[in-house]
Amino acid sequence: MNTLKLFLGSAIALSTLSFNAVASPTPDAPHIYVKGQATLTTMPDYVKVSVGITEVNKDLIAAKNKADITMAKAIKLVKTLGVKDTDINAGQINIHRDTQYNRQTGQQEFIGFKITRTLTVKLTDISKYPTLLQSLVNNGINQINNTQFLASNYNELHKKAQKMAIQDAKKAAKELSDDFDVSLKGLYNASLSPLNVQTQPYMRAKEMVMADSAPGNYVPDAYHSGEIKVTASSYAIYYIE
């Protein structure tokens, strides 16, 4: 069974200092400042790969033709691996003059025209990632620019993490008020980003495991891509009495 780990942490601090309510996000009354945090971890279910071909030749047409031929082979190759046309981007091309400084003459010498073409591919079958890279290199690709292992349900998980962070902040406020034998009077301020206050909270941590939350087409042994962490935080100030 696939698993998704949830790490909860909250940072809490007690403050009874007085502040001007207009100039500060803290009230001019006894209050507590809490932070809730949630981190969901899941496994990637697709990978974005950016590769390229660079050719240098004093004959501009020859350099471009060679780069284009290599790119055409690469596009054909990724299609044989099941990549859709909509997941292939090979429209970028750069051309510039390449020079090298000659120490003997003290001048820049023309090396040739440098042609660079880039191919970006979204591969939804992560198990084919090693084959994809090796096949591209075997067919003339000479640059591996960037690789990103991603999860298609990232936005959904982030929303879930935000809600969990809010709940964690509420629990932190309740625990802190109970520890100091005071009562919560209500929420004064809340935000998903840090509040501009002087108090530095400290952290507590819990761990909980949730089942069946990884993407449905997760490949457990795919290139050791590792986990993806989705983190959210919540900050709140409560009145106390």
Side-chain angles (χ1 to χ4, degrees), residues 179-225:
D179 288 343
F180 280 91
D181 296 322
V182 295
S183 300
L184 295 176
K185 294 176 59 179
L187 179 67
Y188 171 77
N189 197 359
S191 174
L192 295 178
S193 58
L195 298 171
N196 185 23
V197 299
Q198 297 298 319
T199 304
Q200 294 297 320
Y202 68 91
M203 299 294 298
R204 67 180 179 88
K206 291 183 179 180
E207 182 175 347
M208 183 169 60
V209 177
M210 300 177 62
D212 295 329
S213 297
N217 56 343
Y218 154 58
V219 183
D221 298 320
Y223 219 75
H224 302 288
S225 55

Side-chain angles (χ1 to χ4, degrees), residues 91-183:
Q92 184 176 355
I93 181 171
N94 294 313
I95 303 175
H96 71 270
R97 291 173 59 89
D98 197 10
T99 61
Q100 184 177 9
Y101 180 73
N102 188 320
R103 293 185 177 180
Q104 293 180 348
T105 63
Q107 296 180 347
Q108 293 288 341
E109 294 183 352
F110 176 62
I111 301 300
F113 292 98
K114 186 175 184 179
I115 311 295
T116 303
R117 293 212 49 187
T118 302
L119 171 66
T120 302
V121 175
K122 176 183 176 181
L123 184 66
T124 55
D125 188 347
I126 298 182
S127 66
K128 295 180 180 179
Y129 172 68
T131 302
L132 172 66
L133 287 187
Q134 190 60 54
S135 298
L136 288 172
V137 172
N138 290 345
N139 284 272
I141 292 297
N142 55 21
Q143 291 181 348
I144 306 296
N145 299 324
N146 187 34
T147 297
Q148 292 179 294
F149 288 92
L150 304 167
S152 58
N153 60 347
Y154 182 90
N155 291 336
E156 175 186 346
L157 292 178
H158 190 258
K159 290 180 181 179
K160 183 183 293 187
Q162 285 182 331
K163 292 182 179 180
M164 291 177 175
I166 292 172
Q167 292 300 316
D168 191 48
K170 292 169 67 176
K171 291 179 181 179
K174 181 66 168 60
E175 290 176 3
L176 186 61
S177 62
D178 288 345
D179 288 343
F180 280 91
D181 296 322
V182 295
S183 300

Side-chain angles (χ1 to χ4, degrees), residues 226-237:
E227 294 179 328
I228 294 175
K229 292 185 178 181
V230 185
T231 302
S233 299
S234 175
Y235 301 81
I237 293 176

Side-chain angles (χ1 to χ4, degrees), residues 19-126:
F19 296 90
N20 187 309
V22 176
S24 171
T26 56
D28 189 18
H31 59 275
I32 56 175
Y33 173 45
V34 298
K35 174 186 177 182
Q37 183 167 289
T39 299
L40 300 176
T41 66
T42 188
M43 298 302 295
D45 60 352
Y46 73 97
V47 57
K48 279 190 175 181
V49 183
S50 176
V51 299
I53 174 67
T54 298
E55 293 291 343
V56 179
N57 196 310
K58 292 184 177 180
D59 186 331
L60 174 60
I61 301 302
K64 182 180 182 300
N65 285 344
K66 189 173 182 180
D68 289 346
I69 290 172
T70 301
M71 186 57 64
K73 289 181 180 179
I75 294 172
K76 183 177 180 180
L77 187 152
V78 298
K79 287 183 178 180
T80 63
L81 293 177
V83 179
K84 301 177 182 179
D85 286 341
T86 54
D87 293 333
I88 301 173
N89 186 337
Q92 184 176 355
I93 181 171
N94 294 313
I95 303 175
H96 71 270
R97 291 173 59 89
D98 197 10
T99 61
Q100 184 177 9
Y101 180 73
N102 188 320
R103 293 185 177 180
Q104 293 180 348
T105 63
Q107 296 180 347
Q108 293 288 341
E109 294 183 352
F110 176 62
I111 301 300
F113 292 98
K114 186 175 184 179
I115 311 295
T116 303
R117 293 212 49 187
T118 302
L119 171 66
T120 302
V121 175
K122 176 183 176 181
L123 184 66
T124 55
D125 188 347
I126 298 182

